[in-house]
Amino acid sequence: AKKDGRNLVRFFNPAMQAQISARTALEADLHQALVRNEFVLHYQPQVDSAGQTLGMEALVRWQHPLRGLVAPMQFIPVAETSGLILPLGRWILDAACRQLVAWSQTPATAHWHLSVNVSARQFHQPDFVAQVEQALQQSGARTGLLKLELTESQLVDDVENVILKMQALKAMGVCMSLDDFGTGYSSLSILKRLPLDQLKIDQSFVREMLTSPKDTGIVRAIINVGQSVGLQVIAEGVETEDQRAALIALGCTHFQGYLFGKPQAL
Ligand code: C2E
Ligand code: CA
Ligand code: CA
Ligand code: CA
């Protein structure tokens, strides 16, 4: 339709106009949400094969005064294109570090790590490493307990620069996890070149692994390749005891999913 001059009118039809206004309204709302401090972090446990909690993943939600709790997929994409992800990402890092400090006060939770999702746009900021350093210093959180979750797609561009950034973060003691592994344009050379600590098997493979031999094979291959290059492998989206057992049989050591706990406010 874009090439068809006669259809140019499509760009101004009422439905699209409404969509654009809705988006503009959402952007304005998101900005207000930051000012009003309406974002909250929920936490989901990550466990070992004995079921012990080793840490949590922080997952952001928007506590909207009228709409209730809004899921990240409803606002993260807009926050990314509008640039609001930058102040929001900073807030998430700060809140995460404060939570680490809170856990450090209690012996039962003092060793928990916290995994934080980092958007591509935030990671590619020239001062991203300094942002992380500042969040850690201002909170007093232990560096070794912060883990950053990055996705493949955000690491393939400008690999040299990505490696330098990750090395700087590693030097500070921050851990690095590759999220949603297997769903992007995965390249094994990325596993070889990037200073990663952990590989996350995407939940789409875990969901099908008991019913689809292909997915079982992919899960087995990810576990093997990850462990072969010295990475910890964690499966996400584990919902049933059967999935857990199958993952353990394949040598998986770390787990996350509704079986162990849903993301929850603290
Ligand atoms: P993700 O990082 O891959 O997070 C995993 C998603 O799977 C989460 O959805 C989580 O609630 C959900 N989940 C966990 N266990 C299970 C399970 O057993 N079964 C099923 N079906 N789902 C499970 P959520 O919280 O809606 O987050 C969706 C996505 O939004 C995240 O995917 C991540 O890409 C993004 N996101 C969430 N929080 C943040 C954040 O703080 N910063 C950034 N940049 N992105 C975030
Ligand atoms: Ca994640
Ligand atoms: Ca994931
Ligand atoms: Ca995902």
Side-chain angles (χ1 to χ4, degrees):
K2 284 183 191 169
K3 285 186 214 137
D4 191 340
R6 285 171 308 166
N7 283 339
L8 264 178
V9 66
R10 277 191 190 172
F11 288 109
F12 305 103
N13 76 27
M16 286 192 79
Q17 193 56 58
Q19 218 177 344
I20 292 167
S21 321
R23 193 194 168 78
T24 311
L26 178 59
E27 280 181 22
D29 253 25
L30 278 172
H31 185 77
Q32 276 305 305
L34 265 173
V35 175
R36 296 191 187 131
N37 206 17
E38 290 171 359
F39 293 101
V40 289
L41 292 183
H42 281 196
Y43 298 89
Q44 184 178 36
Q46 298 183 332
V47 307
D48 65 14
S49 44
Q52 288 290 328
T53 297
L54 301 177
M56 299 273 173
E57 177 177 0
L59 295 153
V60 71
R61 276 97 180 84
W62 177 10
Q63 186 65 64
H64 192 281
L66 303 172
R67 288 195 274 170
L69 207 59
V70 184
M73 281 330 208
Q74 308 286 319
F75 62 88
I76 290 280
V78 176
E80 288 199 7
T81 48
S82 68
L84 278 168
I85 194 70
L86 300 176
L88 176 57
R90 264 177 199 266
W91 179 86
I92 290 168
L93 267 176
D94 289 339
C97 289
R98 284 195 300 270
Q99 187 56 54
L100 274 174
V101 173
W103 284 334
S104 76
Q105 314 295 313
T106 308
T109 56
H111 62 283
W112 284 3
H113 70 259
L114 185 54
S115 294
V116 176
N117 294 283
V118 175
S119 93
R121 185 133 176 208
Q122 187 184 10
F123 183 77
H124 286 290
Q125 287 292 295
D127 70 340
F128 178 69
V129 176
Q131 281 180 37
V132 175
E133 193 169 30
Q134 197 178 37
L136 285 164
Q137 274 173 1
Q138 285 179 355
S139 63
R142 231 177 80 198
T143 355
L145 296 178
L146 181 66
K147 193 174 285 181
L148 301 179
E149 293 200 0
L150 306 157
T151 58
E152 292 162 73
S153 53
Q154 67 198 74
L155 302 177
V156 290
D157 293 337
D158 199 5
V159 182
E160 300 301 333
N161 187 38
V162 164
I163 292 173
L164 287 176
K165 256 185 197 175
M166 290 177 76
Q167 281 170 344
L169 290 161
K170 291 280 296 181
M172 281 163 47
V174 175
C175 296
M176 232 75 60
S177 178
L178 189 53
D179 202 359
D180 300 348
F181 186 71
T183 59
Y185 298 95
S186 313
S187 144
L188 294 179
S189 75
I190 255 198
L191 296 188
K192 180 176 139 183
R193 298 182 65 194
L194 301 182
L196 292 162
D197 300 282
Q198 185 187 65
L199 204 58
K200 258 188 138 164
I201 307 173
D202 189 67
Q203 54 184 284
S204 60
F205 303 122
V206 174
R207 190 183 311 127
E208 307 291 328
M209 71 176 289
L210 295 179
T211 49
S212 144
K214 282 189 186 174
D215 289 271
T216 319
I218 290 171
V219 169
R220 179 189 294 116
I222 293 176
I223 293 168
N224 289 342
V225 79
Q227 291 176 350
S228 301
V229 296
L231 301 179
Q232 180 186 94
V233 178
I234 181 167
E236 70 175 359
V238 183
E239 294 184 355
T240 68
E241 186 53 52
D242 287 350
Q243 288 170 342
R244 188 188 89 102
L247 285 159
I248 286 184
L250 294 176
C252 193
T253 53
H254 292 74
F255 312 85
Q256 181 180 354
Y258 296 165
L259 179 64
F260 312 100
K262 292 197 169 180
Q264 279 185 313
L266 291 180

